[in-house]
Amino acid sequence: MVVAGFAETRTQSQQLASVLGCDWVGIDVHRFPDGESRVTVPLGLYDDVIVHRSLDLPNDKLVELALAAETLRSEGCRRLLLVAPYLCYMRQDTAFHPGEAVSQRIIGRWLGYYFDGLITVDPHLHRVARLDEVVPLAALASLSAAPLFGHHLAARSDRPLLLGPDAESRQWVEAIANESGSPWAVANKRRIGDHEVELTLPEKLPRASSVILVDDVVSTGCTLAELARQLAGRGVERLEVWVTHALFLEGALERLHESGVTEVLSTDSVTHSSNGIPLAGLLATAVRDLIEGSLSCHRMGH
């Protein structure tokens, strides 16, 4: 078994290899001026290869991942397991207008073609309850970072209020609360557009001087910034944001700080200055379970 990683998450993939006690190798990517990529994989990998790559900024990464997987297979790799802590294109799970591509289903089948197994963390699923409804593989692991955040909070002396921005965030907020003993609540959200939301705080919001806003993904930061502004207006003195996937598009972090957020904590699923919760141990356990258990040698479509 060997872990193969890409440059943008070299540290994370090397940490995974260290926890697993196996070798690490790099997959080299060179991008030409015309936008094409040259992908070079290491040779001599004939057993199980754990390909580690988070799929933020996905379009180039997906093409490069396909090139790497096909080449590894042609060079003699027996089984390919993808560890994608952040899994892209999970939001679009239905066609809201005629002619829209249901990208969740398409990308799920695509990954199922190239890999024998998949491990991810807190996938952004809405109307679909389970990952096996999206990716046609028997060897799947959908993990949650909530217990890691819960342990982190339990080690603190204070017990701030945990607040999620919407009903979908309840699963993470409640799980962290159960691990740490902190109070929790969930706001109501109505999305108006890509950058505009309408938020309503719970009617019986517990009084707290310190609040941690919890979500699975932050991209623009608009939702949590609006929530932070409302809480600051109610006299909350300390505001933090805890998030699994710190996508943080340009201006998002500044938007949060301007709204009163003083600290941001994320897992290292996507490389960012806020990374403080490493995923290597969680991912390594899932890798061992799939390799030693249900991971099949069968390749979809072949």
Side-chain angles (χ1 to χ4, degrees):
M1 178 171 61
V2 63
V3 173
F6 291 79
E8 73 276 0
T9 48
R10 179 188 180 103
T11 298
Q12 292 93 319
S13 60
Q14 287 181 331
Q15 288 173 347
L16 176 60
S18 177
V19 176
L20 287 169
C22 67
D23 291 334
W24 178 92
V25 295
I27 297 174
D28 182 70
V29 175
H30 174 79
R31 290 178 180 159
F32 294 102
D34 64 359
E36 293 186 0
S37 297
R38 181 184 67 213
V39 175
T40 306
V41 304
L43 302 179
L45 306 180
Y46 303 119
D47 195 9
D48 298 327
V49 177
I50 315 304
V51 179
H52 179 286
R53 189 171 220 191
S54 258
L55 296 175
D56 55 306
L57 302 174
N59 295 346
D60 287 342
K61 290 185 177 183
L62 285 170
V63 172
E64 293 159 2
L65 199 60
L67 296 174
E70 192 72 27
T71 306
L72 284 166
R73 194 83 68 173
S74 68
E75 291 292 337
C77 169
R78 184 169 70 103
R79 296 189 297 188
L80 281 173
L81 174 63
L82 174 62
V83 175
Y86 176 71
L87 191 57
C88 61
Y89 281 113
M90 292 296 104
R91 294 175 185 268
Q92 184 85 17
D93 55 11
T94 189
F96 297 99
H97 304 285
E100 280 187 349
V102 183
S103 54
Q104 183 193 78
R105 193 181 308 149
I106 296 167
I107 296 301
R109 284 200 300 263
W110 188 88
L111 292 173
Y113 174 84
Y114 283 106
F115 292 92
D116 300 302
L118 169 67
I119 296 171
T120 191
V121 180
D122 289 333
H124 200 85
L125 304 178
H126 290 281
R127 284 156 286 271
V128 174
R130 302 192 318 271
L131 192 59
D132 60 7
E133 298 177 58
V134 178
V135 185
L137 290 172
L140 290 171
S142 178
L143 312 175
S144 177
L148 302 180
F149 282 112
H151 295 154
H152 182 80
L153 182 55
R156 287 174 35 167
S157 59
D158 62 331
R159 289 294 174 265
L161 172 68
L162 301 169
L163 181 64
D166 51 30
E168 291 172 357
S169 66
R170 173 174 177 154
Q171 57 187 304
W172 297 288
V173 174
E174 189 171 10
I176 296 172
N178 288 340
E179 291 282 346
S180 63
S182 290
W184 63 276
V186 173
N188 299 307
K189 180 177 76 173
R190 185 172 72 91
R191 182 168 292 280
I192 301 171
D194 289 342
H195 298 276
E196 189 176 357
V197 294
E198 183 179 87
L199 286 163
T200 306
L201 292 172
E203 291 184 7
K204 297 181 179 180
L205 184 68
R207 293 182 63 85
S209 61
S210 179
V211 176
I212 298 176
L213 305 178
V214 177
D215 213 349
D216 61 331
V217 180
V218 176
S219 50
T220 66
C222 291
T223 296
L224 295 184
E226 172 59 24
L227 200 56
R229 280 191 288 269
Q230 292 189 29
L231 290 166
R234 290 198 177 193
V236 174
E237 299 173 0
R238 179 176 175 80
L239 286 163
E240 301 175 48
V241 166
W242 286 13
V243 58
T244 302
H245 307 297
L247 301 187
F248 289 114
L249 306 183
E250 186 176 356
L253 200 58
E254 292 78 8
R255 185 175 292 116
L256 289 175
H257 289 320
E258 289 169 1
S259 68
V261 172
T262 57
E263 183 178 338
V264 178
L265 178 68
S266 66
T267 77
D268 60 0
S269 70
V270 178
T271 302
H272 189 262
S273 59
S274 63
N275 292 167
I277 303 293
L279 293 173
L282 182 70
L283 296 170
T285 298
V287 168
R288 293 191 189 100
D289 289 345
L290 291 192
I291 291 293
E292 297 169 3
S294 62
L295 185 55
S296 168
C297 292
H298 175 65
R299 184 185 178 196
M300 295 294 297
H302 290 256

